[in-house]
Amino acid sequence: MDITILKSTAQAMVAKGKGILAADESSKTIQKRFDKIGLKSTPETNISYRKMLFSTPQFEKYISGVILYDETIRQSIDGTPVPQYLQRKGVIAGIKVDRGVVDLPNFTGEKITEGLDSLRSRLEEYKAFGAKFAKWRAVITIGEGIPTDTCIEANAQNLAIYAAFCQEQSIVPIVEPEVLMDGDFDLEKCKEVSTKTLKKTFEKLRAHKVVLEGVILKPNMIISAKLSTTKASAKEIAKATVETFLEVVPKEVPGIVFLSGGQTPNQATENLYEINLIPGRRWQLSYSYGRALQDEAIISWAGKDENIKLAQGSFLARCKKVSLARQGKL
Ligand code: 13P
């Protein structure tokens, strides 16, 4: 483990005005995105789409790093392996290393993330490809009687073991305990569950001797659920979000990069803007959006070469708005 590398990679990931593009959709998830434009996901269509995104002129002004999927890190753009293609633009390559979620046995409605098996050797391989950071997503669901303490603890434990394996290779772990927006709960419920989840996550990270200066946290914002009847405003979301993190996130953590989690691009931008207006923040508060950065571009592209310029324009415009929001500007 090289702590200097870990710290400098983590700092670069949350450099001023920049954030991360989550382009690590699994084959199953990218098909869901392509369904909106009637396109079949194949290794060829997947790389055409990602080439459209990654070849957008100037996107590196707003994007510090890109999270890749296993298929993509092995592919090339114009004859250059994807990690090196990104590196030439000054963009850091990262890799999703979890293998998705499955039902947690004996705990109806709850999930556990898979992927610890052979993680050391997979990280060694990804490092040789050029990956400098990684991602692992844990999922916490709010519902009748859930989440249980067992589910939170099991997921926090796996996140910590994953993070320790990453740091062993001097790869910065993005630690993502996502409390889903699905359901009808209010902001307070989200705050309660997120606080509990984050506390347990940091307890386990410490127990596994993970160096917090070399970790990036990727959480949900504190938000009301999609079907909640009491919709929280952007200002309320921002206040609750920063309050929660001040309570549970140690100051050593260099940055917090939010997931968009089903918010529209505009909501994810406005909420980030309000978050960055709150005084007393002690970390970089940035983005690692998947859908909120890509939704407009994918529709403009529609799988057609003649739409590439248009789609790149949509993508760049959204990257710029989110970057401004992250700096407390609109
Ligand atoms: P969304 O921003 O679409 O939630 O995706 C971010 C991500 O990487 C989830 O793991």
Side-chain angles (χ1 to χ4, degrees), residues 17-18 27 64 146 161 215 243 253-254 268 274:
K18 293 189 185 182
S27 308
S64 56
I146 62 171
I161 297 171
V215 164
E243 260 171 28
V253 173
E274 292 290 346

Side-chain angles (χ1 to χ4, degrees), residues 22 24 135 137 176 178 218 259-262 288-292:
D24 59 328
K135 178 189 114 172
R137 173 175 178 256
E176 181 178 3
E178 175 175 6
K218 175 164 175 169
L259 55 95
S260 58
S288 173
Y289 294 161
R291 284 161 287 179

Side-chain angles (χ1 to χ4, degrees), residues 31-97:
Q31 183 59 67
K32 278 199 228 159
R33 309 283 182 263
F34 283 179
D35 282 346
K36 289 192 198 138
I37 54 168
L39 186 68
K40 185 168 162 31
S41 161
T42 64
E44 293 72 36
T45 54
N46 297 345
I47 191 65
S48 302
Y49 172 60
R50 274 130 184 180
K51 178 180 171 182
M52 182 278 287
L53 294 175
F54 305 162
S55 63
T56 299
Q58 310 278 318
F59 94 108
E60 62 276 12
K61 275 166 65 181
Y62 314 113
I63 300 294
S64 56
V66 176
I67 315 173
L68 302 169
Y69 181 52
D70 180 78
E71 176 188 271
T72 322
I73 204 168
R74 301 167 192 280
Q75 291 177 314
S76 293
I77 294 176
D78 300 334
T80 306
V82 171
Q84 281 70 51
Y85 182 90
L86 292 170
Q87 214 175 338
R88 281 181 199 165
K89 295 187 129 199
V91 175
I92 313 166
I95 180 75
K96 168 191 171 77
V97 300

Side-chain angles (χ1 to χ4, degrees), residues 12-28:
M13 289 163 71
V14 290
K16 191 162 179 284
K18 293 189 185 182
I20 290 164
L21 166 67
D24 59 328
E25 297 84 0
S26 63
S27 308
K28 208 168 110 199

Side-chain angles (χ1 to χ4, degrees), residues 201-324:
T201 302
F202 282 103
E203 181 190 313
K204 295 288 182 185
L205 287 170
R206 286 204 165 98
H208 284 269
K209 303 184 179 177
V210 172
V211 178
L212 297 180
E213 288 85 350
V215 164
I216 296 290
L217 179 69
K218 175 164 175 169
N220 51 285
M221 293 176 186
I222 307 302
I223 211 163
S224 46
K226 281 182 196 152
L227 302 176
S228 172
T229 45
T230 48
K231 277 268 164 287
S233 69
K235 282 197 168 37
E236 288 166 338
I237 291 169
K239 184 168 170 286
T241 300
V242 176
E243 260 171 28
T244 302
F245 293 131
L246 283 172
E247 188 188 336
V248 295
V249 183
K251 61 177 182 334
E252 292 82 2
V253 173
I256 296 176
V257 294
F258 293 100
L259 55 95
S260 58
Q263 300 177 57
T264 65
N266 278 338
Q267 285 168 341
T269 308
E270 194 190 347
N271 292 338
L272 187 65
Y273 164 72
E274 292 290 346
I275 284 170
N276 274 286
L277 292 185
I278 306 254
R281 295 161 281 115
R282 39 179 195 224
W283 333 260
Q284 294 296 314
L285 290 171
S286 185
Y287 47 92
S288 173
Y289 294 161
R291 284 161 287 179
L293 284 173
Q294 297 179 56
D295 276 0
E296 294 148 311
I298 207 165
I299 298 293
S300 307
W301 177 59
K304 299 197 172 81
D305 280 353
E306 61 265 34
N307 294 335
I308 288 176
K309 286 246 145 23
L310 186 73
Q312 290 182 331
S314 309
F315 176 54
L316 194 69
R318 181 54 61 185
C319 289
K320 187 173 178 183
K321 283 183 199 161
V322 174
S323 159
L324 285 171

Side-chain angles (χ1 to χ4, degrees), residues 126-143:
Y126 291 139
K127 188 176 175 177
F129 277 127
K132 304 241 177 315
F133 67 92
K135 178 189 114 172
W136 178 287
R137 173 175 178 256
V139 170
I140 303 295
T141 311
I142 298 179

